[in-house]
Amino acid sequence: MVLLNKGEYMEKVFDIDKLFNMGPVVMIVWEDFDDGVISYISENVLDVLGYTQEEIINTEFRYAKIIHSDDLTRVKDEISSYLDKNIDNFSQQYRLKKKNGEYIYVFDFTRVIKNDNNDIVKIIGYFYDQTESVLLKQEIEKKHKRLELLIDSANLGTWVLNLNNKNVEYNDNWAKIIGYTLNELEPLSYDTWAKRCHPEDLDKALNKLEKYLNGESDIYEVEFRMLHKDGYYKWILSRGKVLEYDKDGNPLILYGVHIDIDEQKKIEEKLRRFVKYLNTAQAVSKTGSWHIDINTNNLWWSKETYRIFGLTENSFVNLDKFIERIHPDDRQKVSDALKQAIDGKVYDIDHRIIVGNEIKWVNEKAEVVFDDDKAIEAFGTVRDITLERQIYEKLKNENRLIELLFDLLPGFLWFVNKDKIIQKQNKNAKERFGSKIGEKCYMSIFCGKFLSEEHKKLLNEGIELPEMKCEFCIANESLDLKSEFSIEIEDRENKKFYKAWWIPLSENEYIHYLIDITEQKEAESYLMELAVKDHLTKIYNRRYITERLEADIELCKRANRTFSLIMFDIDHFKNINDTYGHNVGDNVLIKLTDIVKRRIRKIDIFARWGGEEFLIMLPESRLENARLLAENLRKLIEETDILRDRTVTCSFGVTEYYEGDTVDFIVKRADDCLYKAKFLGRNTVVSI
């Protein structure tokens, strides 16, 4: 055994202290917990917290004052609990305030030193910055929440097929689409679908699948009929894509959705999640230190460095042994970085090492010591960052999966922030509308065609206001009320109809989702003519406007909106019928409705209430504007030659929605105004 004299021993202690101070782990010593005075802290606290060693080892400095106020009570309670239970070694996680005011997340390990009487004589410990890992975990959780919300917002049947063993999983809605519960269909298998698929469609569906698996199409997509529980066949749109492959690169797991296209306008944007997400734990950084004599290549490793590299502690190591552990593809990169460090450049590098059959990622940092401009030694740290790398790779795969799921949606999807800027979109949205990320949604999706005339004029003048939006947009209401809203939109220019949803994700972001319902609307058009239109004038009938009044009253209650109502009738219409006959009277009604239709807005609802009485509902119009419209209509009708030898006039009653109104209340109020207009001599407007 070689004995060291005091000077040599102190030099070794100094070297070890110097090595430790270069790493990210801060050593700390207290005399007791009560006064919080720190008797020792390693110099690298300056790198971690921004304080010097002298600033902290000061009788006036208190460690508790830099612990985040939201964490302090918990930290104290945990320490008290450990001490009460005679637990001498424990760890904690909390936030510390740096000298510059910034907070970081730290991992703290503490050891309590006691004497023979079980009295505390000293507390030692260490902590290190784990902010990067915590923030990464928070980012992953945010993406999880976003995808879960998206899938839960749709009402789709999902299936997952193992192409090797034909095992298949269905969600509840898959069974619900055909009138069953999953329990009623058990035992679940591939045949659960195949036996219920229409015999004429089964081969087509299987051929489509075979062509997709052979690479002849980008996605599995097929329409077929399935037998409903009630005995009839229902049309289903099935879409799927392979997301997992076996080790040989062959398709293994096929994910898909079933969409009920019998009643497509009833589809709501609620997806069932069929993918399991990774569960990540907070990584605790393990850091070792090392020293190398550049002249002799003698290498010293700390205990943690041996563990990271998978070697027995104190076994012989040198530079060659270190190089052997580096992944062959990274050796040149590490060698170049070492040479550059000797030339005076910073040594900070991520690379792979091979430990048995495992490949690890490490981060190395070092400082080279020079003597007369000659590099003589280097001190460094090595940190196992494998878990961080794995999390980044899994996050990358997760993002890829999200993109694939977005593209499986049957409609058009955008993530939009409160400022109406598109943050993300699916493939269907980009291809149909040509919308672009980073653009205002009202311009990028519909090219500004649904802006108000005032806002269109301002845009043409180069003026853009924060409140600009499509006239039908209820995104602000959705965000304010934290509730989903949906309406139908007509794009007359392109002869398209859409069902639109606004789904809030947070205070500042929402999902905007459209489904093309043009075919359904065309099919409904004929029925609507029969059910809601007046056969003579071709405007809406009493039944339809009553239903619309009921719906708009509910919307006013929920979203703090308003509307106005105009009721008018033809003055002395009975005399016109008696004088000219009912055919002429009918022509008067038709001409009158044409005049009014050309004057009102597209969003206004014009209906024949009965006989010669009419109603006009004006969404988002206040009483004064409604009265002005009524007065304009009155003059226009009076000045138009509806009959060659007689002037046709109308009397008008106008009112606005008030809180607590029902359909009967507001119609009665408009009728009372109309009655008063008659009393005042007809051909006039009365409002209340």
Side-chain angles (χ1 to χ4, degrees), residues 221-245:
E221 181 171 320
V222 64
E223 294 180 1
F224 50 75
R225 289 160 292 178
M226 287 190 68
L227 185 62
H228 192 274
K229 182 180 179 180
D230 293 337
Y232 65 91
Y233 281 95
K234 174 176 281 193
W235 278 101
I236 305 294
L237 171 62
S238 183
R239 286 176 174 164
K241 198 156 190 174
V242 173
L243 299 183
E244 294 184 27
Y245 297 83

Side-chain angles (χ1 to χ4, degrees), residues 3 39 86 101 106 141 155 212 243 303 306 338 393 455 489 545 570-571 639-640 642 671:
L3 298 177
S39 60
N86 288 320
V106 299
E141 289 174 348
N155 188 21
Y212 167 64
L243 299 183
K303 179 179 179 180
Y306 277 106
L338 287 171
E393 288 300 317
H455 285 169
I489 302 169
I545 199 168
I570 303 172
D571 297 331
E639 295 169 357
T640 302
I642 298 176
D671 189 47

Side-chain angles (χ1 to χ4, degrees), residues 328-370:
D329 294 342
D330 293 345
R331 287 174 186 168
Q332 187 61 48
K333 178 175 70 173
V334 175
S335 177
D336 291 343
L338 287 171
K339 290 177 181 177
Q340 292 172 359
I342 293 174
D343 291 336
K345 295 184 179 180
V346 174
Y347 183 75
D348 186 347
I349 186 173
D350 294 349
H351 65 84
R352 291 165 292 178
I353 61 174
I354 300 175
V355 181
N357 295 324
E358 181 184 2
I359 296 177
K360 290 184 177 181
W361 277 92
V362 296
N363 169 259
E364 288 197 273
K365 292 181 173 67
E367 182 177 320
V368 178
V369 179
F370 294 87

Side-chain angles (χ1 to χ4, degrees), residues 97-324:
K97 186 177 184 180
K98 298 174 66 174
K99 188 175 181 179
N100 63 7
E102 175 188 352
Y103 280 96
I104 62 171
Y105 292 86
V106 299
F107 175 86
D108 177 335
F109 179 82
T110 302
R111 182 178 182 185
V112 180
I113 309 298
K114 298 179 179 178
N115 60 19
D116 295 339
N117 296 325
N118 205 34
D119 297 324
I120 297 175
V121 297
K122 194 178 294 293
I123 303 100
I124 63 174
Y126 66 82
F127 66 82
Y128 57 84
D129 183 355
Q130 62 169 190
T131 304
E132 182 179 353
S133 298
V134 171
L135 295 180
L136 180 60
K137 181 174 181 291
Q138 291 174 351
E139 177 64 19
I140 291 173
E141 289 174 348
K142 180 180 177 182
K143 287 184 176 288
H144 286 177
K145 184 177 180 181
R146 176 178 290 183
L147 182 59
E148 288 170 358
L149 180 60
L150 174 62
I151 293 178
D152 289 340
S153 296
N155 188 21
L156 302 178
T158 64
W159 48 269
V160 183
L161 175 63
N162 186 310
L163 297 169
N164 282 352
N165 56 28
K166 296 300 183 183
N167 285 342
V168 65
E169 298 176 11
Y170 307 106
N171 73 346
D172 292 335
N173 201 53
W174 188 95
K176 184 179 179 182
I177 288 174
I178 54 174
Y180 291 93
T181 65
L182 281 179
N183 290 337
E184 290 176 312
L185 294 174
E186 288 184 348
L188 300 173
S189 67
Y190 173 82
D191 288 339
T192 306
W193 165 75
K195 289 181 178 179
R196 288 170 176 80
C197 186
H198 195 288
E200 296 177 4
D201 299 338
L202 182 59
D203 288 341
K204 177 181 68 174
L206 296 178
N207 288 337
K208 286 269 190 178
L209 178 60
E210 182 179 359
K211 288 182 178 180
Y212 167 64
L213 296 177
N214 289 336
E216 297 179 34
S217 61
D218 294 332
I219 192 171
Y220 169 64
E221 181 171 320
V222 64
E223 294 180 1
F224 50 75
R225 289 160 292 178
M226 287 190 68
L227 185 62
H228 192 274
K229 182 180 179 180
D230 293 337
Y232 65 91
Y233 281 95
K234 174 176 281 193
W235 278 101
I236 305 294
L237 171 62
S238 183
R239 286 176 174 164
K241 198 156 190 174
V242 173
L243 299 183
E244 294 184 27
Y245 297 83
D246 63 20
K247 62 182 181 180
D248 297 322
N250 298 316
L252 179 61
I253 304 296
L254 181 65
Y255 292 85
V257 293
H258 272 191
I259 304 165
D260 179 356
I261 56 175
D262 259 0
E263 302 178 12
Q264 197 169 36
K265 78 168 189 173
K266 296 181 180 179
I267 295 177
E268 298 179 355
E269 188 183 5
K270 291 185 178 180
L271 291 172
R272 293 293 180 184
R273 182 173 179 174
F274 54 79
V275 178
K276 290 184 179 179
Y277 272 92
L278 72 122
N279 293 319
T280 58
Q282 183 174 320
V284 177
S285 177
K286 298 295 183 179
T287 304
S289 51
W290 52 266
H291 167 261
I292 185 171
D293 185 322
I294 295 175
N295 292 324
T296 64
N297 282 342
N298 287 334
L299 189 61
W300 174 87
W301 282 357
S302 69
K303 179 179 179 180
E304 183 63 20
T305 305
Y306 277 106
R307 189 199 67 79
I308 291 173
F309 280 83
L311 293 175
T312 305
E313 185 181 359
N314 295 326
S315 61
F316 174 76
V317 291
N318 58 17
L319 186 59
D320 292 336
K321 198 79 170 178
F322 166 68
I323 297 297
E324 286 178 5

Side-chain angles (χ1 to χ4, degrees), residues 461-673:
E461 296 172 355
I463 301 172
E464 189 168 1
L465 301 177
E467 60 267 25
M468 284 183 174
K469 63 176 184 176
C470 295
E471 288 189 302
F472 59 74
C473 179
I474 48 178
N476 292 341
E477 291 85 345
S478 177
L479 289 173
D480 293 342
L481 298 176
K482 299 180 177 60
S483 179
E484 296 181 19
F485 284 97
S486 66
I487 62 171
E488 291 184 1
I489 302 169
E490 181 182 2
D491 182 0
R492 294 184 179 179
E493 180 179 321
N494 295 308
K495 298 181 180 180
K496 291 288 185 180
F497 287 88
Y498 299 97
K499 181 71 174 288
W501 284 265
W502 290 263
I503 304 172
L505 295 175
S506 67
E507 292 181 356
N508 299 311
E509 189 176 19
Y510 61 91
I511 291 175
H512 186 34
Y513 187 61
L514 299 179
I515 290 179
D516 188 337
I517 58 170
T518 305
E519 292 184 3
Q520 288 86 344
K521 297 299 291 186
E522 289 174 351
E524 292 167 1
S525 178
Y526 176 71
L527 295 177
M528 180 174 289
E529 288 290 329
L530 296 178
V532 303
K533 292 292 183 72
D534 176 61
H535 72 281
L536 175 64
T537 62
K538 305 305 179 185
I539 62 174
Y540 292 115
N541 59 20
R542 181 169 184 155
R543 173 185 175 185
Y544 178 79
I545 199 168
T546 300
E547 292 174 353
R548 280 301 306 268
L549 284 168
E550 291 172 348
D552 274 50
I553 286 172
E554 287 302 311
L555 183 59
C556 289
K557 292 177 182 178
R558 295 178 57 194
N560 195 27
R561 291 193 165 197
T562 190
F563 67 89
S564 292
L565 190 67
I566 298 174
M567 175 179 278
F568 69 95
D569 73 358
I570 303 172
D571 297 331
H572 303 299
F573 185 71
K574 182 177 184 302
N575 183 262
I576 292 174
N577 276 334
D578 293 344
T579 302
Y580 300 98
H582 286 281
N583 288 338
V584 173
D586 288 347
N587 286 332
V588 169
L589 293 173
I590 294 171
K591 289 180 180 180
L592 181 69
T593 56
D594 287 341
I595 293 169
V596 174
K597 281 192 295 184
R598 287 195 297 269
R599 179 60 184 82
I600 62 176
R601 302 174 301 176
K602 293 180 181 179
I603 62 172
D604 297 333
I605 306 300
F606 182 30
R608 187 178 181 187
W609 188 246
E612 71 273 23
E613 285 187 326
F614 299 88
L615 281 181
I616 306 174
M617 189 178 76
L618 307 170
E620 298 300 325
S621 287
R622 309 299 302 195
L623 179 62
E624 183 176 346
N625 292 332
R627 178 181 174 84
L628 288 175
L629 174 63
E631 182 62 29
N632 288 337
L633 288 173
R634 185 195 67 76
K635 291 180 180 179
L636 184 61
I637 293 168
E638 182 181 20
E639 295 169 357
T640 302
D641 293 331
I642 298 176
L643 288 175
R644 285 182 299 178
D645 56 350
R646 178 173 181 167
T647 299
V648 176
T649 63
C650 292
S651 299
F652 292 79
V654 185
T655 189
E656 184 181 355
Y657 167 81
Y658 297 113
E659 185 176 352
D661 265 345
T662 65
V663 174
D664 290 340
F665 286 171
I666 193 169
V667 171
K668 176 64 166 57
R669 199 159 57 247
D671 189 47
D672 289 344
C673 290

